[in-house]
């Protein structure tokens, strides 16, 4: 569409991507954008078309299709699987073509994982893969202690000091390399523990998954055992962010890129999403309180109990991932005008609604 900025979004049927698109549909400049959404389902494509976006039906596993689609975009929001190396590289090839053919410098807003930012991690890669969680800085605490290590998105030297072999880093290194070569500008959003049941038009139309991963996984395990559980003593610390707050970070970042040419990109383009911190013991207690209130607890003890190894194998795929530490500060994100509104207290209060949503499933 002549005169319009072409924007490609991937992952819009997912928890993050769908919420970002729901927010983006309300952007005051939406009429000046030509938004394309990559989607596999023809049924969901029809629903997306009714929202005023152009669905492009195809698969991320089709690298030529992904490259060709990205080559038509001025801006790409990559919000699908952060570890899909082949698809990520295909997007980069497409944006390189865009630069070569038009002379413009396209924008890539990539969704990463902050788990790569802990060089002391001893968690096995297959454990991390099985956990299916977003945004953590992991170690091997097994719930027995916290950590004083805090990562800062405004400290590129701290990030650059990591070895190239760090878990998940291979994708981000390709993105950073592309920025350094100058054929695109890269911005990497790194969500922490996202919470809250997603709402909005994509949920209403059955396009988007409305649930996160971490809390529902713990809730399902707790419902099955009749008592909230935690790995070890639950002393490990994680950051948290509401789904609407993290979606708003993408919008704030996009607007900053458009209006302020000094917005950090490349090595200075990491943007964490965090609004507070919690221990897993606190989460377990909130789940236990909800189980008792809803008549789903097998004991009136208000405290969670430690998962046995058998339960870790059964409910957590054998991983002690939920006993790791993850601490970060979103100083760069806040510096561009991101103003999250939800707090740790809101997070803990929300857990009862997660239990209610899952207890009859």
């Amino acid at each position: 569409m002549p005169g319009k900025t072409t924007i490609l979004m991937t992952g819009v049927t997912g928890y993050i991507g769908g919420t970002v698109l729901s927010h983006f549909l309300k952007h005051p400049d939406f009429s000046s954008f030509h938004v394309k959404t990559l989607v596999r389902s023809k049924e969901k494509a029809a629903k997306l078309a009714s929202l005023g976006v152009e669905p492009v039906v195809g698969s991320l596993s089709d690298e030529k299709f992904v490259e060709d689609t990205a080559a038509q975009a001025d801006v790409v929001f990559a919000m699908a699987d952060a570890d899909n190396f082949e698809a990520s590289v295909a997007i980069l090839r497409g944006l390189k073509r865009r630069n070569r053919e038009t002379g413009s410098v396209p924008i890539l807003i990539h969704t990463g994982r902050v788990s790569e930012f802990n060089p002391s991690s001893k968690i096995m890669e297959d454990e991390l893969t099985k956990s299916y969680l977003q945004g953590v800085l992991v170690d091997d605490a097994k719930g027995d202690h916290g950590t004083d290590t805090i990562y800062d998105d405004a400290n590129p030297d701290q990030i650059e000091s990591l070895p190239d072999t760090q878990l998940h880093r291979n994708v981000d290194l390709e993105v950073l390399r592309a920025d350094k070569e100058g054929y695109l500008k890269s911005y990497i959003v790194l969500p922490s523990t996202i919470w809250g049941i997603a709402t909005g038009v994509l949920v209403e139309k059955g396009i988007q998954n409305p649930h996160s991963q971490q809390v529902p996984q713990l809730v399902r395990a707790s419902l099955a055992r009749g008592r909230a559980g935690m790995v070890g003593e639950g002393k490990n610390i994680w950051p948290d962010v509401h789904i609407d707050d993290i979606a708003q970070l993408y919008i704030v970042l996009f607007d900053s890129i458009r209006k302020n040419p000094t917005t950090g990109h490349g090595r200075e383009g990491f943007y964490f999403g965090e609004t507070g911190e919690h221990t897993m013991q606190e989460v377990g207690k909130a789940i236990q309180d909800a189980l008792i209130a809803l008549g789903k607890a097998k004991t009136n003890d208000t405290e969670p109990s430690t998962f046995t190894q058998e339960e870790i194998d059964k409910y957590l795929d054998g991983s002690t991932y939920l006993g790791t530490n993850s601490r970060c500060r979103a100083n760069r994100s806040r510096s561009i005008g991101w103003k999250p509104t939800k707090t740790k207290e809101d997070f803990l209060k929300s857990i009862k609604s997660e239990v209610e949503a899952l207890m009859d499933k």
Side-chain angles (χ1 to χ4, degrees):
M1 296 183 181
K4 290 195 173 187
T5 300
T6 299
I7 299 171
L8 173 66
M9 294 188 175
T10 69
V12 297
T13 62
Y15 181 57
I16 299 175
T19 307
V20 171
L21 178 55
S22 290
H23 281 240
F24 206 79
L25 293 171
K26 301 174 185 178
H27 197 288
D29 297 332
F30 183 75
S31 62
S32 67
F33 307 138
H34 175 204
V35 180
K36 295 183 176 183
T37 57
L38 197 157
V39 62
R40 288 175 295 182
S41 164
K42 291 182 179 180
E43 178 185 358
K44 290 185 176 182
K47 293 178 180 180
L48 284 163
S50 71
L51 301 177
V53 302
E54 179 188 348
V56 183
V57 180
S59 171
L60 285 173
S61 62
D62 185 340
E63 295 176 40
K64 183 63 165 60
F65 164 76
V66 173
E67 178 183 335
D68 290 344
T69 306
Q72 301 171 34
D74 301 302
V75 181
V76 173
F77 285 76
M79 300 176 290
D81 183 0
D83 289 328
N84 191 328
F85 182 83
E86 290 75 16
S88 297
V89 172
I91 289 173
L92 295 178
R93 287 199 302 267
L95 294 179
K96 190 171 187 176
R97 276 173 48 189
R98 180 74 173 181
N99 170 256
R100 185 173 62 246
E101 293 169 1
T102 68
S104 64
V105 181
I107 299 300
L108 173 61
I109 301 176
H110 175 74
T111 305
R113 296 190 184 197
V114 289
S115 55
E116 69 204 62
F117 297 126
N118 193 336
S120 65
S121 174
K122 297 178 183 177
I123 304 297
M124 295 298 291
E125 181 170 355
D126 61 342
E127 287 184 334
L128 290 171
T129 302
K130 286 188 291 185
S131 66
Y132 304 112
L133 301 179
Q134 295 286 341
V136 286
L137 302 161
V138 296
D139 59 15
D140 60 345
K142 295 185 174 65
D144 293 335
H145 58 81
T147 180
D148 293 328
T149 303
I150 302 176
Y151 289 82
D152 185 344
D153 61 0
N155 187 347
D157 292 336
Q158 183 187 33
I159 294 172
E160 274 197 343
S161 68
L162 296 170
D164 291 356
T165 55
Q166 192 67 19
L167 188 62
H168 308 307
R169 189 131 169 88
N170 60 336
V171 174
D172 286 0
L173 285 172
E174 292 298 322
V175 172
L176 293 171
R177 188 174 294 114
D179 182 281
K180 191 171 184 179
E181 290 180 15
Y183 64 82
L184 60 76
K185 289 186 177 180
S186 71
Y187 307 82
I188 301 178
V189 177
L190 299 135
S192 60
T193 304
I194 310 176
W195 62 273
I197 300 173
T199 59
V201 65
L202 271 76
V203 174
E204 294 167 5
K205 288 183 173 291
I207 299 171
Q208 172 194 355
N209 163 38
H211 292 287
S212 63
Q213 294 290 342
Q214 184 209 69
V215 171
Q217 184 179 28
L218 284 170
V219 168
R220 291 188 185 97
S222 299
L223 284 166
R225 71 201 292 265
R227 185 174 181 178
M230 57 191 176
V231 175
E233 298 180 44
K235 293 180 179 179
N236 54 302
I237 304 168
W238 282 26
D240 45 74
V241 63
H242 188 266
I243 181 60
D244 286 325
D245 280 334
I246 194 65
Q248 196 59 28
L249 174 56
Y250 284 83
I251 308 302
V252 170
L253 175 58
F254 173 71
D255 286 342
S256 180
I257 294 166
R258 295 168 65 215
K259 298 173 183 178
N260 185 356
T262 65
T263 300
H265 63 92
R267 74 181 295 268
E268 297 183 347
F270 289 88
Y271 296 85
F272 290 168
E274 61 79 24
T275 59
E277 294 181 319
H278 60 272
T279 67
M280 296 308 291
Q281 193 279 336
E282 290 174 309
V283 173
K285 178 165 175 47
I287 294 174
Q288 183 65 6
D289 289 346
L291 293 179
I292 293 172
L294 296 167
K296 294 295 182 178
K298 294 179 181 178
T299 173
N300 288 325
D301 193 320
T302 60
E303 297 299 321
S305 61
T306 299
F307 287 119
T308 65
Q309 184 58 54
E310 181 181 359
E311 288 174 326
I312 288 174
D313 293 339
K314 182 176 182 180
Y315 301 124
L316 307 181
D317 295 329
S319 172
T320 57
Y321 195 63
L322 293 177
T324 61
N325 282 292
S326 162
R327 304 191 69 185
C328 66
R329 295 289 182 269
N331 291 318
R332 186 182 298 279
S333 293
R334 287 180 172 85
S335 74
I336 62 169
W338 183 51
K339 298 177 180 179
T341 62
K342 301 297 184 181
T343 65
K344 166 187 170 178
E345 289 70 28
D346 294 322
F347 169 45
L348 295 176
K349 288 178 182 177
S350 77
I351 287 175
K352 185 177 180 182
S353 64
E354 294 275 6
V355 177
E356 289 174 322
L358 296 170
M359 65 184 186
D360 295 323
K361 292 185 179 180

